[in-house]
Amino acid sequence: MTFKAAIPQQIKMIPLENTFKQLHEQFPKRNLQLPHSGEYVSDILKLAAQKSGNSFPNKLLENRLEEELFFRSGFDTELYRHLRYLPANWHSHSFLEVVCVVEGQAVNYIQDQELHMCKGDICIIAPETVHAISAFSDDCIIINIVLRTSTFEKVFFGVLSDNDVLSDFFTHTLYHSKTHPYLFFRTDGDPEVFDFVFYAYREFLKNHQYKERFLNNIVGAFFIVLLRNHGSNVIVPEADSQGHDENVVFILKYMQENYTTISLKELADFFNYSERQIQRIIRSCTGMSFSQNIQKLKMKQAARLLMNPKLSVSAIAEELGYMDSGNFRQIFKKYYGMTPAEYREQK
């Protein structure tokens, strides 16, 4: 089933887009397709609002966009089609944005990076990230999904609840990267992924009962399919710029799948790296060393296993690869501030 037919009326240029296009052609020396400050394009935005009779451009006059401008009361998820020929002004916002290119090409300027996006590309941009989108052609169609940060974390990272290392990797990339606070997926127009984008957009345009809850569920399914189909080949420019393996996600998944037995040397040998190189890759992508990642994986699994009263502490230690249960108890207490037995009693 496809939902692309749900938005044909949105493909045509709307009056406000035509107004922006006319202003772009009227003032070619302004280079409105290049990123500029809000102050630089404020007169264009005001003029567009005046000419079109549409007040929306006035919402974009601020350099930092607040949630109340884009979210209705009670809604955690909203969808907007990016206006073609909208001046590419630098801005940031308190919420999270997912840019989905449906047709054509665009340039997503993120801080000092130029991210050239084409049909099928999806970019998740972290809150408070200064960026600008340039979509200056009639055939460019972009659907932006905006989510309150708490909702995104609940849905997106909920999908990764069984993959702690990958979750840490995405968290570190989005919230702790100073140069590349985004995740970039090239899906080649994956119909399974974009069916959910169109489905969500169709729901957004209508006024059905339970709309807000349904939107959250559709977007949740969108993230599941996106990560299932393309999570292993997410593009991480920060890693690439430092000469790391472009398939760093496979390294992290391998750690996740073999954390009870894997050593740094075995991991390095498997991926044909030196121990020093792979240690650097892991630290830069997760913010933690190899041993810290392994210990976190073991401790989180230990906490889960302690929920089963039939498993003894010694059996849990053995399952996690500890030869000495006393050593396991000591590490667990240092990590959680209590012994395994005390943790079990509290839960």
Side-chain angles (χ1 to χ4, degrees):
M1 179 169 54
T2 179
F3 298 96
K4 190 170 183 178
I7 61 166
Q9 72 277 15
Q10 298 298 320
I11 294 175
K12 295 181 179 179
M13 296 276 287
I14 63 172
L16 182 55
E17 288 177 312
N18 284 319
T19 299
F20 277 125
K21 183 177 181 179
Q22 291 165 8
L23 291 171
H24 171 58
E25 294 171 344
Q26 184 179 349
F27 303 105
K29 293 184 179 180
R30 294 290 296 271
N31 291 316
L32 298 174
Q33 77 279 9
L34 299 177
H36 296 287
S37 67
E39 291 77 10
Y40 181 84
V41 299
S42 62
D43 61 325
I44 298 293
L45 294 174
K46 292 175 182 177
L47 193 56
Q50 180 183 351
K51 283 178 171 290
S52 65
N54 190 321
S55 62
F56 180 78
N58 293 325
K59 290 185 177 182
L60 308 177
L61 292 172
E62 299 295 329
N63 291 328
R64 186 179 186 276
L65 307 179
E66 300 293 345
E67 285 188 354
E68 55 264 27
L69 291 176
F70 289 86
F71 291 87
R72 290 161 293 176
S73 177
F75 280 74
D76 298 321
T77 304
E78 302 278 5
L79 288 90
Y80 297 95
R81 189 172 62 73
H82 184 84
L83 293 172
R84 286 164 282 197
Y85 299 98
L86 176 70
N89 61 306
W90 291 115
H91 67 283
S92 64
H93 32 67
S94 57
F95 45 88
L96 192 134
E97 182 176 20
V98 184
V99 180
C100 306
V101 180
V102 178
E103 296 286 350
Q105 297 181 337
V107 182
N108 195 351
Y109 296 92
I110 302 180
Q111 297 181 160
D112 60 346
Q113 308 295 312
E114 287 186 26
L115 196 61
H116 292 266
M117 302 181 68
C118 58
K119 180 179 178 178
D121 289 351
I122 293 173
C123 184
I124 301 175
I125 306 174
E128 311 302 341
T129 300
V130 177
H131 65 286
I133 296 178
S134 179
F136 276 68
S137 66
D138 290 7
D139 65 347
C140 183
I141 301 175
I142 298 174
I143 293 178
N144 292 331
I145 304 172
V146 296
L147 302 100
R148 298 184 194 272
T149 303
S150 58
T151 301
F152 169 78
E153 291 174 351
K154 179 181 178 181
V155 175
F156 185 84
F157 292 111
V159 177
L160 295 165
S161 59
D162 294 329
N163 198 322
D164 300 312
V165 172
L166 209 56
S167 179
D168 288 340
F169 163 56
F170 285 137
T171 302
H172 183 74
T173 301
L174 276 176
Y175 298 127
H176 302 292
S177 172
K178 295 180 180 179
T179 56
H180 303 85
Y182 62 89
L183 298 172
F184 185 41
F185 301 84
R186 287 200 184 278
T187 74
D188 292 324
D190 184 343
E192 189 177 10
V193 172
F194 274 84
D195 274 356
F196 283 102
V197 176
F198 302 137
Y199 194 13
Y201 192 62
R202 184 183 70 171
E203 183 67 20
F204 170 78
L205 293 176
K206 297 187 176 181
N207 191 27
H208 289 159
Q209 192 176 18
Y210 313 120
K211 176 177 177 176
E212 62 276 17
R213 186 178 300 179
F214 197 27
L215 274 176
N216 287 351
N217 288 334
I218 298 170
V219 171
F222 159 76
F223 283 129
I224 289 174
V225 175
L226 178 64
L227 289 171
R228 185 172 61 195
N229 293 4
H230 305 281
S232 295
N233 52 18
V234 60
I235 297 173
V236 189
E238 186 169 33
D240 291 344
S241 67
Q242 297 177 19
H244 296 162
D245 194 307
E246 62 180 5
N247 294 318
V248 64
V249 174
F250 289 108
I251 297 174
L252 302 178
K253 280 191 169 183
Y254 192 83
M255 285 174 55
Q256 177 82 38
E257 293 166 359
N258 300 279
Y259 68 92
T260 60
T261 58
I262 194 72
S263 68
L264 181 62
K265 184 180 186 308
E266 290 168 340
L267 185 66
D269 289 345
F270 187 86
F271 287 97
N272 197 29
Y273 279 107
S274 69
E275 292 182 41
R276 185 176 180 181
Q277 283 176 314
I278 206 159
Q279 181 76 278
R280 192 184 308 119
I281 291 171
I282 294 168
R283 184 179 289 278
S284 69
C285 291
T286 66
M288 296 183 290
S289 68
F290 169 80
S291 59
Q292 288 172 325
N293 272 289
I294 294 297
Q295 184 181 92
K296 182 176 180 179
L297 286 168
K298 289 185 175 183
M299 291 301 101
K300 293 189 78 171
Q301 179 63 3
R304 287 190 283 263
L305 292 174
L306 284 167
M307 296 298 97
N308 184 353
K310 295 181 180 180
L311 287 175
S312 67
V313 172
S314 296
I316 292 173
E318 184 178 353
E319 182 172 335
L320 295 175
Y322 291 98
M323 302 299 293
D324 181 358
S325 61
N327 183 40
F328 164 69
R329 288 184 174 89
Q330 184 179 9
I331 294 172
F332 188 94
K333 184 174 182 179
K334 184 177 180 180
Y335 193 87
Y336 284 106
M338 64 186 78
T339 66
E342 290 170 341
Y343 184 91
R344 174 174 270 170
E345 288 177 4
Q346 283 198 357
K347 299 297 178 177

